[in-house]
Amino acid sequence: EVQLVESGGGLVQTGGSLRLSCAASGFTFDDYIIGWFRQAPGKEREGVACISSRDGSTYYADFVKGRFTISRDNAKNTVYLQMNSLEPDDTAVYYCAVEARPLLPVVHMYARAHDYWGRGTQVTVSS
């Protein structure tokens, strides 16, 4: 069974930092997209950042504005999201997700393109 387990969420003050981790198991795909989405109460789930397992290409939402960095450790089958300069608007549940059969880059940041999901980790940024 494919499993994605997020960790690293928590409560931070405005301007603080967190590093989220997503440990993937139960599959060996040659080519896939793995990344982070978030959902705040009353809002739609939105893409944050994704990375290609094949060549390391990265994709970021505009609202990241250089504050977040996605990276991978293929040996550990883990992807990270380093979040700096956090703002209250970043408060959300952050989910790790996998697009098992990548299509066009334009769809990587859409939740509906992804096949597997973790259960999420809460990030709360206080004012």
Side-chain angles (χ1 to χ4, degrees), residues 56-70:
S57 297
T58 57
Y59 310 87
Y60 291 98
D62 289 341
F63 61 74
V64 168
K65 298 180 180 180
R67 299 178 298 126
F68 298 177
T69 302
I70 189 169

Side-chain angles (χ1 to χ4, degrees), residues 32 50-60 70-72 74:
Y32 61 92
C50 295
I51 189 167
S52 168
S53 69
R54 176 174 55 84
D55 61 11
S57 297
T58 57
Y59 310 87
Y60 291 98
I70 189 169
S71 61
R72 62 179 181 174
N74 288 341

Side-chain angles (χ1 to χ4, degrees), residues 110-124:
Y110 289 88
R112 62 183 177 180
H114 290 252
D115 306 288
Y116 303 100
W117 293 85
R119 295 183 179 182
T121 184
Q122 177 71 48
V123 172
T124 303

Side-chain angles (χ1 to χ4, degrees), residues 49-118:
C50 295
I51 189 167
S52 168
S53 69
R54 176 174 55 84
D55 61 11
S57 297
T58 57
Y59 310 87
Y60 291 98
D62 289 341
F63 61 74
V64 168
K65 298 180 180 180
R67 299 178 298 126
F68 298 177
T69 302
I70 189 169
S71 61
R72 62 179 181 174
D73 185 336
N74 288 341
K76 297 181 179 180
N77 211 18
T78 301
V79 64
Y80 305 94
L81 184 68
Q82 178 66 47
M83 304 189 295
N84 300 322
S85 302
L86 284 163
E87 304 167 354
D89 284 348
D90 296 318
T91 295
V93 177
Y94 283 70
Y95 299 90
C96 182
V98 168
E99 182 183 348
R101 190 172 180 269
L103 299 173
L104 297 175
V106 70
V107 309
H108 294 336
M109 297 294 288
Y110 289 88
R112 62 183 177 180
H114 290 252
D115 306 288
Y116 303 100
W117 293 85

